[in-house]
Amino acid sequence: AILLLLFLMSRPLPLFAQEPLLDFHAETLNGRYGIQLTWREAVGSDYIEIQRSDNGATAWESWSESAGNQFVDTQVACSHIYFYRARSVTGGVAGPWTSVVSANATPCAPVAVSVYPVPGWYILDVAWIDIAPGETSVLLERSFDGASWRELAELPPNTRYYADRFTSTKCSSSLFYRLRTVRDDVLSPYTAVYSNAVSPCAPTASRVELVYEGARVRLHWRDNAPDETGFEVWRRSDANHASQLVATLPTADAVGASLAWEDEAPDCQARNYYQIRAIRGANSASPWEPRTPDQLMVYVPNCPDPTSKPVELSIHPPITIFPPAN
């Protein structure tokens, strides 16, 4: 009996039943995609075997052999639930499986984010696609320099756009945005940073006057935008009630410059109404100046001399630019 006892004591521990792994937990990581598993460290074990399943009952897959007392599973799909179990292994002998634990992976961040100015308004529309099931809110953050951020809005789940409105003091300003979703107290990672500029600052129309013996109209305005690529002049009249684009003009050389342009073919013997706006590329335009065409109206009493050669209105007629005053 003594020899048998000495023999058994000389054998490795694996001949004996392994202790169950204790305090096995799964927790969702906050702010990044992953699930952290923790347990009470099993003294004397070679490693901890971890298995994962998508339903917690079948299709268990050996997922990791980990030392210590924790493991972070980063191979997860956002907003997906995973089930885990674990056991200690020593000398090839495995202990009993733990109870099955589960965790819902970090919620999916919004995708396909875009920021674009609304033509004619000082508004930046932020749009995105929501792909996170079960989120409780969407957080939108804004920055004026791309470095310092503040929360702009906490939006209801499944929200897909936000209209960020500005006063004229922010015209032509560049803004930066990022988003993340929230599920209870768990935050998704941030999206990438997206930016765009508010619509260009509207010009200031100063006056309208008749020239060439009352047969032409001269407009005067001041450039207020540092980033416009040109100007558009639109006109309607008592004879033509629908506003029409009558001129696309080049940009001024400096903010504050005074500009003048002559309409060579207004509707004669009729009231002509004008509006001007700054444009930036093909998809951004300032609000109209003036806001209603009635505020920039002139009656054209005379028609061109019928014996003279008709003047064809050019899409790019001459423009006079005066530098800004000191």
Side-chain angles (χ1 to χ4, degrees):
I2 295 176
L3 292 176
L4 178 61
L5 179 60
L6 293 174
F7 171 77
L8 293 176
M9 293 177 62
S10 66
R11 303 304 295 170
L13 184 62
L15 284 179
F16 300 96
Q18 296 297 298
E19 292 294 330
L21 198 62
L22 301 177
D23 298 333
F24 186 57
H25 294 285
E27 183 178 3
T28 306
L29 294 180
N30 204 351
R32 64 189 182 101
Y33 296 126
I35 294 175
Q36 180 170 284
L37 305 176
T38 59
W39 56 87
R40 188 185 302 179
E41 187 170 358
V43 179
S45 64
D46 293 338
Y47 61 88
I48 305 301
E49 180 184 359
I50 299 171
Q51 290 189 343
R52 190 177 83 173
S53 169
D54 286 337
N55 58 27
T58 61
W60 287 99
E61 182 180 1
S62 292
W63 202 247
S64 175
E65 294 180 357
S66 178
N69 66 339
Q70 62 179 357
F71 168 74
V72 176
D73 186 6
T74 58
Q75 300 181 51
V76 298
C78 57
S79 298
H80 189 80
I81 297 177
Y82 294 93
F83 299 83
Y84 300 89
R85 65 184 183 182
R87 62 184 178 180
S88 62
V89 179
T90 304
V93 177
W97 290 110
T98 63
S99 298
V100 174
V101 298
S102 65
N104 194 350
T106 313
C108 302
V111 298
V113 182
S114 63
V115 180
Y116 53 92
V118 178
W121 300 88
Y122 296 136
I123 298 175
L124 284 176
D125 265 357
V126 186
W128 60 90
I129 296 177
D130 175 61
I131 62 170
E135 82 271 26
T136 51
S137 63
V138 179
L139 299 181
L140 174 62
E141 295 186 4
R142 182 179 67 189
S143 172
F144 288 92
D145 58 6
S148 301
W149 295 89
R150 73 172 185 87
E151 185 177 306
L152 177 61
E154 182 172 0
L155 305 169
N158 303 317
T159 302
R160 296 188 177 184
Y161 73 94
Y162 181 84
D164 197 5
R165 301 174 181 271
F166 301 91
T167 65
S168 59
T169 60
K170 294 300 181 183
C171 59
S172 297
S173 298
S174 292
L175 281 301
F176 303 84
Y177 298 88
R178 64 184 185 184
L179 298 106
R180 58 181 174 177
T181 54
V182 184
R183 186 185 63 237
D184 298 325
D185 295 327
V186 180
L187 300 169
S188 78
Y190 282 110
T191 63
V193 175
Y194 298 85
S195 67
N196 212 323
V198 183
S199 297
C201 302
T204 302
S206 57
R207 68 184 190 278
V208 59
E209 60 183 345
L210 294 172
V211 293
Y212 289 90
E213 298 179 349
R216 298 184 184 180
V217 175
R218 180 179 295 161
L219 302 177
H220 297 265
W221 70 92
R222 186 181 72 246
D223 173 31
N224 296 320
D227 60 342
E228 85 278 359
T229 57
F231 297 93
E232 289 182 350
V233 180
W234 291 67
R235 180 190 68 209
R236 70 174 177 85
S237 70
D238 294 336
N240 296 286
H241 296 288
S243 293
Q244 296 178 327
L245 175 65
V246 294
T248 302
L249 308 170
T251 182
D253 294 331
V255 177
S258 297
L259 301 96
W261 170 79
E262 288 182 7
D263 187 355
E264 300 173 342
D267 290 334
C268 60
Q269 297 181 349
R271 290 174 294 184
N272 288 254
Y273 305 86
Y274 293 90
Q275 286 180 299
I276 309 165
R277 65 179 182 177
I279 58 174
R280 185 179 63 230
N283 300 314
S284 182
S286 74
W288 292 109
E289 173 61 22
R291 297 297 294 180
T292 60
D294 293 350
Q295 299 172 359
L296 197 63
M297 182 273 292
V298 63
Y299 180 79
V300 179
N302 299 328
C303 298
D305 186 350
T307 61
S308 63
K309 184 179 179 180
V311 177
E312 295 183 359
L313 179 63
S314 170
I315 283 297
H316 297 282
I319 184 173
T320 302
I321 302 176
F322 303 94
N326 292 333

